[in-house]
Amino acid sequence: MLWHMTNIASPKPTESEHAPLPAYSVVVPVYNEIDTLDELLTRLTSTLEGTGASYEIILVDDGSTDGSTEHLKTLAAQDANLHVIVFSRNFGQSPALYAGFSRARGGYVAMLDADLQNYPEDIPLLFAKLDEGYDMVSGWRSQRKDSLFRTGASRILNRYIARSTKVALHDYGCALKAFRREMVVHMLSLTHRCRYLPVDAAALGGRVAEVEVRHDERSHGTSKYGLVKLIRTAFDLVTSISAAPLQFIGLLGWAFAAVGFFMSIWVAYVRLTQGDINTMGSVVAIFFFLSGCQLVATGLLCEYVGRIYIEVQAKPYYVIREETER
Ligand code: UDP
Ligand code: MG
């Protein structure tokens, strides 16, 4: 068995010196999708053949246990445009995508899910948008066919990301996306692991666009994202795009301390004007003031932790798009 112990933090795109590079690459993460693989590949192949350009399809098997692995290997043996990467166990959708990107050689690189919720036939729409000069094009599932809970939760998250990152998209989570090759190389060079592709692309100075794409219900199998994994993913997402949740603690501390402070003034005022000792009021005031001080101290600590977090993400300080020759 061939083991590529690739540290996802530093994969290198492979450049074959002999084979001509394909125009397009399509990367698909596969985790127990045996029932849709044939249809996926038939539709994907006919779409890509329809473009008239050269292409490769990179299928990353993320530790499937339903026979997807063997089936993919059989298919790849019959089709030179198929390339299969098999993980040693289930690592997750993002690592699978990045492994695929690290092998992609096309000038344009697209990604989509294996379960056919995305339409492979929409890929040329994304490529056409890249032709207009964009570096990344993200699909927008304007008619999303997922549960009300997921669609609703995504709407809230999408708003949050749009506000906190200033990358104005409707749908950050759509699995159908396409990139210019240079963008892929830059994204692979980032060392932080929780990657949110449109945000990373924009942070690198990429021109990001969105196009409306179709979306279908899952016809076979079940979603690989249960409630716990969804919450985990949402939390990863919120904390990876900024240190704002950490900084919020400090703000909360100041608010608590202010409430405590004004309550003490009020208690003192009542004592002086009416002579009453408001015991309850004094206790509440002290409680607010002290817990406020504690939260301010924690917030200060969080500022430092936040800075360390930003630093270890090692996002590039700047990215040069072009430079004149000297
Ligand atoms: N997937 C994967 N590894 C995982 C979970 C999912 O490679 O650990 C793949 C899965 O096979 C599919 C895509 O990622 O191609 C999206 O998964 P799913 O359709 O379950 O997610 P949902 O559409 O429910 O968000
Ligand atoms: Mg799906």
Side-chain angles (χ1 to χ4, degrees):
M1 187 184 191
L2 188 60
W3 288 81
H4 291 287
M5 290 294 197
T6 315
N7 176 0
I8 189 166
S10 56
K12 297 267 184 304
T14 46
E15 300 280 355
S16 165
E17 283 175 16
H18 306 296
L21 298 182
Y24 303 138
S25 301
V26 177
V27 176
V28 190
V30 178
Y31 181 43
N32 293 340
E33 306 284 5
I34 187 78
D35 293 329
T36 52
L37 287 180
D38 284 331
E39 189 187 340
L40 170 80
L41 286 168
T42 308
R43 288 172 56 184
L44 202 49
T45 305
S46 85
T47 304
L48 291 167
E49 289 287 345
T51 65
S54 54
Y55 67 90
E56 61 179 7
I57 299 172
I58 302 177
L59 298 137
V60 188
D61 180 78
D62 182 19
S64 295
T65 51
D66 67 344
S68 294
T69 320
E70 294 66 30
H71 193 55
L72 285 178
K73 287 201 279 196
T74 311
L75 293 173
Q78 299 157 2
D79 185 343
N81 295 317
L82 294 192
H83 180 62
V84 176
I85 298 171
V86 182
F87 278 181
S88 59
R89 64 167 170 84
N90 178 240
F91 280 87
Q93 189 180 353
S94 295
L97 283 170
Y98 273 80
F101 287 167
S102 74
R103 295 291 181 272
R105 300 166 305 158
Y108 288 175
V109 181
M111 56 178 251
L112 85 164
D113 284 350
D115 60 356
L116 289 171
Q117 286 198 270
N118 308 123
Y119 284 64
E121 296 78 13
D122 285 343
I123 292 178
L125 290 178
L126 277 69
F127 286 163
K129 201 77 189 169
L130 288 179
D131 282 340
E132 290 177 23
Y134 291 98
D135 298 302
M136 164 177 174
V137 180
S138 192
W140 166 22
R141 297 163 290 181
S142 51
Q143 307 282 322
R144 190 169 166 185
K145 301 279 171 35
D146 274 320
S147 69
L148 219 59
F149 168 72
R150 285 198 62 170
T151 316
S154 285
R155 193 163 295 159
I156 297 170
L157 274 177
N158 280 321
R159 290 242 177 88
Y160 173 78
I161 302 162
R163 280 184 60 166
S164 55
T165 61
K166 316 237 171 0
V167 185
L169 297 188
H170 296 88
D171 184 5
Y172 296 83
C174 182
L176 182 56
K177 291 184 168 63
F179 309 86
R180 203 171 276 280
R181 145 142 232 95
E182 296 78 2
M183 201 73 241
V184 172
V185 173
H186 274 313
M187 290 191 315
L188 288 172
S189 72
L190 299 181
T191 57
H192 57 280
R193 277 173 185 237
C194 185
R195 298 160 216 246
Y196 214 45
L197 299 175
V199 176
D200 274 351
L204 288 163
R207 289 163 289 210
V208 180
E210 197 171 41
V211 293
E212 274 188 66
V213 294
R214 290 168 285 177
H215 193 242
D216 224 341
E217 280 164 26
R218 200 182 231 281
S219 54
H220 295 280
T222 48
S223 170
K224 309 298 181 295
Y225 289 85
L227 185 63
V228 174
K229 203 165 164 188
L230 275 179
I231 293 174
R232 183 67 242 170
T233 309
F235 197 71
D236 270 0
L237 197 152
V238 168
T239 51
S240 74
I241 53 177
S242 78
L246 283 176
Q247 287 159 345
F248 177 71
I249 293 177
L251 279 180
L252 202 68
W254 284 109
F256 265 55
V259 170
F261 178 73
F262 288 114
M263 269 194 85
S264 338
I265 291 181
W266 175 68
V267 169
Y269 172 77
V270 171
R271 171 82 177 89
L272 290 175
T273 54
Q274 295 161 26
D276 296 343
I277 299 178
N278 187 339
T279 321
M280 190 63 186
S282 315
V283 171
V284 172
I286 290 170
F287 164 78
F288 267 99
F289 190 72
L290 284 185
S291 46
C293 288
Q294 263 175 0
L295 278 178
V296 169
T298 312
L300 208 60
L301 216 62
C302 286
E303 280 292 331
Y304 288 107
V305 174
R307 270 163 217 227
I308 296 168
Y309 178 61
I310 301 292
E311 285 297 325
V312 297
Q313 283 185 322
K315 289 183 181 167
Y317 217 24
Y318 54 81
V319 176
I320 297 171
R321 186 192 296 279
E322 284 168 77
E323 197 172 349
T324 56
E325 291 203 19
R326 285 187 304 167

